[in-house]
Amino acid sequence: MKRTHFAVVAAGLGLALSLSACGSDDGSDTAGDNDAKIEGKIGVILPDTESSVRWESADRPALKAAFEAAGVEHTIQNAEGDAEKMAQIADSMIADGVTVLAIVNLDSASGAAIQEKAKAQGVATIDYDRLTLEGSAEYYVSFDNTVVGELQGQGLADCLGEKDANIIYLNGSPTDNNATLFSAGAHSVLDKITSYKKVGEQAVPEWDNEEAAVIFQQLYTQADGKVDGVLAANDGLGGAVISILEGNGLAGKVPVTGQDATVEGLQNILAGTQCMSIYKSATLEANALAEAAIALASGKDAETTGTTKDSESGREVPSILLEPKAITKDNVGDVIDDGGQKLADVCTADFADACKAAGLS
Ligand code: BGC
């Protein structure tokens, strides 16, 4: 019975076959049985509104749509960069009857504490996007973040071409396991290219964009302005770098990477000041989370793509990892076609010419 309900839910979500727990694509499920319901309520806590616009502008609506399509009760809140607040939200969600709790941790220690407390109260947890080191989440739902870093490294190499080049690395928050993976992935590509030289590298606490500009200015000065390329871990950090390059008359001359395919990132790519971004469909990630959460709430196993080793505890965490996609001027349209951004938001009056040149209209 539960299996049928899950199949209905999965069909409603339009989940990819590879992610479907029932593994059936013959359409014979009892689709249309809208009475399917699961027990309990699913809670999601997003991390902040500053480290990336994605959490409120992409993830929240995608999660809401995924849960609504599945007809499950849900609550989505944002910790606004405050780990204590995240713990309080978790407590109140559990008191409110949430039976599955997904978090995007602000750091592994606070995330692990939330998960421990939830577990003690019989509440299952899921790591959404960021793995909680030494945590106890049942599932980890994300993109392959090492591949994200590799695509960023390759994207920068493609923009730089074969030449001697000084590179500055601006990494994400030191408390975000993803930032470690992005950096490792990027280095695995760029360190092999012997004509490239690292002339500076620093992590940006909490992915703070303003601090990123200050840090980049320092690294740029330390390198005597001899910088040919910048590996910036996401579009927000990339934007901060571009603002400093602009002040030095170098915007558009020094390739800068990014991630999240934000409106600003895509506009920078179209304008030629940013070399690439990474598109990670919020719809796919939210659907994968909804599927895992619904499976847990129904006492079922979710279909995984493999396991991810927690580098601290050594635990193999059952994972659903999706494929990220590199975005350059040539395929900005793919993000729009996929519903990742709206044409009208990207192609505003200031970018009308650039959009036209890129075949976007
Ligand atoms: C996410 C990125 C995001 C960054 C800052 C990372 O964990 O994977 O998509 O840009 O956090 O919020």
Side-chain angles (χ1 to χ4, degrees):
M1 195 59 184
K2 271 184 177 163
R3 190 168 185 82
T4 311
H5 282 179
F6 181 73
V8 171
V9 164
L13 285 168
L15 296 173
L17 174 61
S18 65
L19 291 176
S20 168
C22 54
S24 153
D25 68 343
D26 62 10
S28 64
D29 304 331
T30 48
D33 172 4
N34 291 325
D35 299 335
K37 282 270 179 286
I38 62 148
E39 299 268 318
K41 192 167 161 184
I42 293 160
V44 184
I45 315 181
L46 300 172
D48 62 69
T49 57
E50 306 277 325
S51 67
S52 172
V53 292
R54 64 166 280 185
W55 306 114
E56 287 299 325
S57 72
D59 292 82
R60 182 189 286 274
L63 288 162
K64 190 168 176 269
F67 292 131
E68 276 173 5
V72 291
E73 245 196 286
H74 59 278
T75 166
I76 305 165
Q77 293 191 47
N78 193 308
E80 284 165 33
D82 181 342
E84 249 171 61
K85 182 166 178 186
M86 189 179 285
Q88 280 158 13
I89 295 173
D91 285 346
S92 64
M93 281 185 173
I94 292 168
D96 226 32
V98 156
T99 51
V100 178
L101 175 66
I103 59 166
V104 184
N105 76 55
L106 285 164
D107 63 86
S108 282
S110 66
I114 289 170
Q115 293 176 343
E116 185 101 342
K117 210 167 165 190
K119 200 178 184 176
Q121 296 171 84
V123 171
T125 60
I126 304 178
D127 276 329
Y128 183 58
D129 202 68
R130 299 176 180 166
L131 182 69
T132 300
L133 301 177
E134 295 189 287
S136 51
E138 257 82 15
Y139 293 106
Y140 168 46
V141 175
S142 192
F143 283 80
D144 187 324
N145 293 303
T146 306
V147 172
V148 168
E150 289 167 4
L151 293 174
Q152 289 174 320
Q154 191 54 51
L156 185 61
D158 291 345
C159 287
L160 283 167
E162 284 175 37
K163 63 171 189 187
D164 289 342
N166 289 343
I167 299 174
I168 286 180
Y169 295 77
L170 205 56
N171 299 326
S173 177
T175 60
D176 180 350
N177 184 60
N178 284 347
T180 310
L181 301 177
F182 300 150
S183 175
H187 275 291
S188 76
V189 172
L190 295 169
D191 293 357
K192 279 199 282 231
I193 304 174
T194 51
S195 60
Y196 295 169
K197 191 175 149 200
K198 180 174 99 174
V199 294
E201 174 157 24
Q202 211 165 306
V204 178
E206 288 155 34
W207 296 86
D208 184 304
N209 292 190
E210 277 166 36
E211 208 171 331
V214 174
I215 292 171
F216 181 71
Q217 175 67 67
Q218 281 163 1
L219 294 172
Y220 177 83
T221 307
Q222 277 161 24
D224 282 333
K226 294 191 181 100
V227 178
D228 303 294
V230 184
L231 195 294
N234 76 0
D235 286 353
L237 302 191
V241 169
I242 291 165
S243 71
I244 302 296
L245 290 174
E246 245 152 29
N248 290 283
L250 288 174
K253 295 187 181 124
V254 173
V256 179
T257 64
Q259 170 176 198
D260 291 342
T262 61
V263 167
E264 192 197 350
L266 296 180
Q267 288 176 334
N268 287 340
I269 290 174
L270 291 167
T273 53
Q274 186 171 321
C275 132
M276 58 90 66
S277 186
I278 302 286
Y279 177 53
K280 304 187 295 187
S281 161
T283 301
L284 283 187
E285 197 174 4
N287 284 354
L289 175 66
E291 181 178 8
I294 290 162
L296 280 173
S298 330
K300 299 242 155 221
D301 290 336
E303 180 100 351
T304 56
T305 56
T307 61
T308 304
K309 191 177 184 140
D310 175 331
S311 60
E312 289 292 326
S313 70
R315 182 169 76 104
E316 293 287 347
V317 186
S319 306
I320 297 124
L321 296 189
L322 305 162
E323 250 180 76
K325 181 172 181 170
I327 300 299
T328 62
K329 215 180 236 186
D330 294 340
N331 64 351
V332 168
D334 290 1
V335 179
I336 292 163
D337 292 345
D338 196 52
Q341 297 295 355
K342 291 196 188 75
L343 182 72
D345 291 339
V346 176
C347 294
T348 53
D350 285 352
F351 296 90
D353 291 348
C355 280
K356 208 170 161 207
L360 299 174
S361 54

